[in-house]
Amino acid sequence: MRQKKIWRNLAAALMLAGIGCGSDAPPERIVRMPECELGASAAVRREFRSVPATWDGVSGMAEIFATPRSFTVWRADFVAASWDRAAAEATVLRKWHCRLSGGRGELPGSTVEVMPAYDRGPRGVRVRVTDKAAAEIFARENARPEVDLRRRTERAREEIMLLEEALEHFFTDNGVYPRALAELHVRFSERGNWNGPYLEKIPRDPWGAEYRYQCAPDGKRYELYSAGADGTEMVR
């Protein structure tokens, strides 16, 4: 009887460890995460998408990362504002039989990480799953010159939109547009009803140059653009 009890205790310990005794084997790679399938084409053709999601009964956000050309999902994060880290690690162990060391675990085709999500509050937790094969695709695509050019161009257009919004606020207060972009941040004269700063700082374009800005003599119109990578383009 004593020997049987020892074997029963050993079997129970092995089951808790996630090995042997009829337990499922760890997957070679993790396929499903909330709102996406790792290694598959993204549902939405964006490099990054964040959507509300529920995982293991916990409400949070699914952050989905895709490669810049083929839009292959290479990483997925589940982020919850109020989730205990120990509970998140227990979920990883139960779902994938993956024991974490220092918040990180390796499977043959996947990497799993559990870390604080400070952007979601003091108890925020982030569960990050990376598909190793898709991450290699991301590294190759991300190194292509046209990808870098596209990202810089998109960033320039986003910053121009922010500048244009600030210019409109300046116009509303003063009845004219500023003579220089610097006036959005610093008041240079007593003209009008300056109520800034309208921007925290004046950005430089993604190629390190100043945005090209010219105001009409009457202050009612302006031209704003980036000269791009070679100084001859007009990115608007």
Side-chain angles (χ1 to χ4, degrees), residues 164-174 198:
E164 288 175 339
E165 184 178 353
L167 287 165
E168 293 306 318
H169 288 310
F170 185 100
F171 185 86
T172 298
D173 289 344
N174 297 277
Y198 299 90

Side-chain angles (χ1 to χ4, degrees), residues 3 14 20 28 38 41 43 46-47 51 57 67-68 75 91 94 118 122-123 129 157 176 182 184 190 205 212 221-222:
Q3 191 174 21
L14 289 171
E28 287 196 357
L38 286 152
S41 182
R46 293 184 198 147
E47 290 184 54
V51 292
T67 60
R75 188 183 114 194
T91 293
R94 184 176 68 255
Y118 295 111
R123 293 188 62 215
V129 180
R157 287 177 175 146
V176 292
L184 294 174
E190 296 303 315
D205 76 12
R212 306 289 179 90
R221 292 169 291 110
Y222 67 86

Side-chain angles (χ1 to χ4, degrees), residues 26-30 96-98 105-112 132:
E28 287 196 357
R29 56 179 288 265
I30 297 166
W96 301 316
H97 308 281
C98 183
E106 296 282 344
L107 293 170
S110 314
T111 300
V112 187
K132 294 178 181 178

Side-chain angles (χ1 to χ4, degrees), residues 53-100:
T54 301
W55 189 53
D56 201 41
V58 177
S59 296
M61 296 293 293
E63 297 183 351
I64 300 160
F65 299 81
T67 60
R69 285 173 58 86
S70 61
F71 297 100
T72 303
V73 178
W74 68 277
R75 188 183 114 194
D77 292 10
F78 178 76
V79 193
S82 56
W83 197 15
D84 184 82
R85 180 167 176 167
E89 292 191 1
T91 293
V92 167
L93 177 62
R94 184 176 68 255
K95 282 182 169 292
W96 301 316
H97 308 281
C98 183
R99 288 192 174 278
L100 304 181

Side-chain angles (χ1 to χ4, degrees), residues 11-227:
L14 289 171
M15 288 183 71
L16 286 173
I19 56 177
C21 305
S23 161
D24 292 337
E28 287 196 357
R29 56 179 288 265
I30 297 166
V31 178
R32 290 294 309 171
M33 280 291 284
E35 306 297 327
C36 73
E37 181 178 342
L38 286 152
S41 182
V44 177
R45 295 280 166 159
R46 293 184 198 147
E47 290 184 54
F48 172 76
R49 182 166 61 99
S50 181
V51 292
T54 301
W55 189 53
D56 201 41
V58 177
S59 296
M61 296 293 293
E63 297 183 351
I64 300 160
F65 299 81
T67 60
R69 285 173 58 86
S70 61
F71 297 100
T72 303
V73 178
W74 68 277
R75 188 183 114 194
D77 292 10
F78 178 76
V79 193
S82 56
W83 197 15
D84 184 82
R85 180 167 176 167
E89 292 191 1
T91 293
V92 167
L93 177 62
R94 184 176 68 255
K95 282 182 169 292
W96 301 316
H97 308 281
C98 183
R99 288 192 174 278
L100 304 181
S101 176
R104 182 183 175 93
E106 296 282 344
L107 293 170
S110 314
T111 300
V112 187
E113 297 169 274
V114 174
M115 64 195 76
Y118 295 111
D119 57 324
R120 305 303 169 107
R123 293 188 62 215
V125 174
R126 180 181 300 272
V127 179
R128 172 172 297 166
V129 180
T130 303
D131 186 275
K132 294 178 181 178
E136 291 178 3
I137 297 172
F138 170 74
R140 289 197 300 271
E141 293 185 6
N142 202 42
R144 297 176 71 101
E146 65 268 26
V147 170
D148 179 65
L149 176 61
R150 190 193 75 201
R151 284 203 180 118
R152 289 177 188 250
T153 301
E154 288 174 353
R155 184 179 134 205
R157 287 177 175 146
E158 289 171 0
E159 289 181 343
I160 286 170
M161 288 177 63
L162 290 174
L163 285 166
E164 288 175 339
E165 184 178 353
L167 287 165
E168 293 306 318
H169 288 310
F170 185 100
F171 185 86
T172 298
D173 289 344
N174 297 277
V176 292
Y177 292 108
R179 289 183 290 265
L181 290 178
E183 288 190 72
L184 294 174
H185 182 64
V186 177
R187 183 170 190 163
F188 290 110
S189 70
E190 296 303 315
R191 179 179 69 147
N193 186 33
W194 195 91
N195 193 28
Y198 299 90
L199 280 176
E200 183 179 355
K201 64 179 181 179
I202 308 302
R204 298 180 76 86
D205 76 12
W207 296 275
E210 293 182 355
Y211 282 99
R212 306 289 179 90
Y213 173 78
Q214 187 172 7
C215 183
D218 62 2
K220 304 297 184 182
R221 292 169 291 110
Y222 67 86
E223 188 172 32
L224 175 65
Y225 63 92
S226 165

